[in-house]
Amino acid sequence: MIKDLQLRISLKEEKIPNILLIKSAENLGMSRDKISGIKVLRKSIDARKPKIILNYKVAVYINEPVPETSEYTFDYKDVSKAKPIHIIGFGPAGMYAALRCIELGFKPIVLERGKNVQDRRRDLKAINQDHFVNEDSNYCFGEGGAGTYSDGKLYTRSLKRGDVRRIFENLVFHGATDQILVDAHPHIGTNKLPKVVTNIRETILKYGGEVRFETRVTDFKIKNNKIQAIQLLNGEELSANRVILATGHSARDIFYLLHEKKIALEAKSFAMGVRVEHPQHIIDSIQYHCSGQRDELLPAASYSLVQQVNNRGVYSFCMCPGGFIVPAATANGEVVVNGMSPSRRNNQFANSGIVVELNVERDFPKYEHFGVLKGLEYQKDLERLAFTAGGRTQSAPAQRLTDFVEGRLSSDLNSTSYQPGLKSAPLHSLLPKLIGGNLRQGFKAFGEKMKGYYTAEANVVGVESRTSSPVSIPRNENLEHPEVEGLFPCGEGGGYAGGIVSAAMDGERCAEAAVIGL
């Protein structure tokens, strides 16, 4: 017999050996020796009050063994001689599309403009130390996509788009810790993701798929509204009749290409702002009601904040406890910041994007002549502004949080995790009022919600601009572009996902759609 229980454990109780067994036996009114095992299904922290509680959902096995293997299996088969499906981009959407193709009996041929995870490291070092951006290999482009080197947060609200558990189980199958199956806000960690991504690639190759790195797509051959071939930068042309386009939200050249070919695109609303960085101990003290060090059983504290300001949302995005701010530009001449955390989340800083909702229909009147690309051009202009304000390197413009809100240049800045360095700049006046003014009001409100958050010990760093794609690529109910037969827009770049898990689920769905009729 199996009984599901909800258990509430205090921090003091959590330190008692076998506390889940003890609590389960008490809850069920039975002897402990009748319980053959306990499986943790979900774990979360309730820190709303000074007495912090750990909430567990457990399955209690009574007089029967706990199963040692997952109920999920992945039926990968040899597809070396099977019909091909071409996949452009090897981020979460592209990886999961390729894996699903193999399960369905089709050969994935993946074309990735960037490098594999190992070689990619040298290009990341060049951004951080030499301020040089390789436009094909950076924090956004390369094996595993943007997620590989930006944290690996797996929390998603997209529970109706597919089987979330299946996505997680496949990550565990490829080497992720099974803790992601339990945590309420699961996270793999930047230090562990590259190995998982490498294992996924090895599975694709083992079963007959192909993954081609440093292979940039420059054109599509289309005849009678059907995809015929893919043109590569090296001059090679690949015949193709099913193409999953999973290029991510930063592949601007793809948006320009489709626009030039008069293939329908749509302008899409998105959000932009800054990244704020606090010493982690400040966030810990606020969230855990403590002074000094947090309890050893508690992870680095996170937060989620939202405020309506002038009828638009100002909110935290991609919060990274115990993490780093990283340079996420995809071209020289721009500065973009993002955040990431290692698996232990043990860095001394906490950072989060704080962004403002932008409505593409009404917020960019000066950019209307760009048509569907108006949001993209607005985004680019702010990234160029950040580059100039940062000293025309990958150093980022920054202010102390209180100076930003109160409208004065910072005479000095706090220590930071951002390796290229910070340069004091008047972000409060450089950012458009639409963003800067609303951020300033938002920060004041956040200071009321989290006492101690509004402090001169925090830096505001600009700009956080790549929250999502400013362009979407339309598709019909068959997940195919309405004007180009055989082209399947997918993931974040198409406007159909907002993170690793939702992109992975969309990749699977596109694979299932692409093989129909082949």
Side-chain angles (χ1 to χ4, degrees), residues 17 76 86 110 126 133 137 170 213 264 276 295 305 321 327 371 472 504:
Y76 299 127
H86 288 81
V110 181
V133 180
S137 178
N170 212 341
F213 294 111
V276 62
D295 191 283
L305 292 166
S472 67

Side-chain angles (χ1 to χ4, degrees), residues 238-298:
L238 304 176
S239 295
N241 59 9
R242 295 287 195 282
V243 175
I244 296 174
L245 190 62
T247 46
H249 61 44
S250 291
R252 290 168 170 167
D253 56 323
I254 294 295
F255 296 137
Y256 286 125
L257 171 64
L258 297 177
H259 190 55
E260 288 167 8
K261 298 182 79 67
K262 302 189 185 315
I263 295 171
L265 299 173
E266 296 171 355
K268 177 176 154 293
S269 295
F270 59 110
M272 289 180 67
V274 295
R275 193 151 279 266
V276 62
E277 183 172 62
H278 290 78
Q280 181 63 52
H281 71 82
I282 290 179
I283 304 303
D284 289 342
S285 67
I286 298 169
Q287 299 296 72
Y288 293 144
H289 321 280
C290 65
S291 57
Q293 290 285 94
R294 66 180 183 269
D295 191 283
E296 62 183 1
L297 294 179
L298 294 172

Side-chain angles (χ1 to χ4, degrees), residues 88 111 113 215-222 227 229-233 236 243 245 247 250-266 370 372-373 376-377 380 471-473 481 483-484 487 493:
I88 305 175
L111 310 175
R113 69 191 296 163
T215 304
R216 192 203 289 192
V217 172
T218 57
D219 201 1
F220 300 108
K221 295 294 180 68
I222 298 168
I227 196 100
I230 300 167
Q231 189 79 38
L232 304 181
L233 182 63
E236 188 178 355
V243 175
L245 190 62
T247 46
S250 291
R252 290 168 170 167
D253 56 323
I254 294 295
F255 296 137
Y256 286 125
L257 171 64
L258 297 177
H259 190 55
E260 288 167 8
K261 298 182 79 67
K262 302 189 185 315
I263 295 171
L265 299 173
E266 296 171 355
F370 290 109
V372 295
L373 301 181
L376 189 155
E377 295 297 335
K380 285 174 63 176
V471 180
S472 67
I473 307 173
H481 194 283
E483 297 176 353
V484 184
L487 182 65

Side-chain angles (χ1 to χ4, degrees), residues 56-81:
Y56 283 92
K57 181 180 179 182
V58 299
V60 182
Y61 289 76
I62 302 165
N63 294 325
E64 66 175 278
V66 179
E68 293 184 6
T69 58
S70 169
E71 62 189 63
Y72 282 80
T73 57
F74 301 97
D75 184 21
Y76 299 127
K77 57 199 74 173
D78 182 5
V79 295
S80 55
K81 295 182 172 58

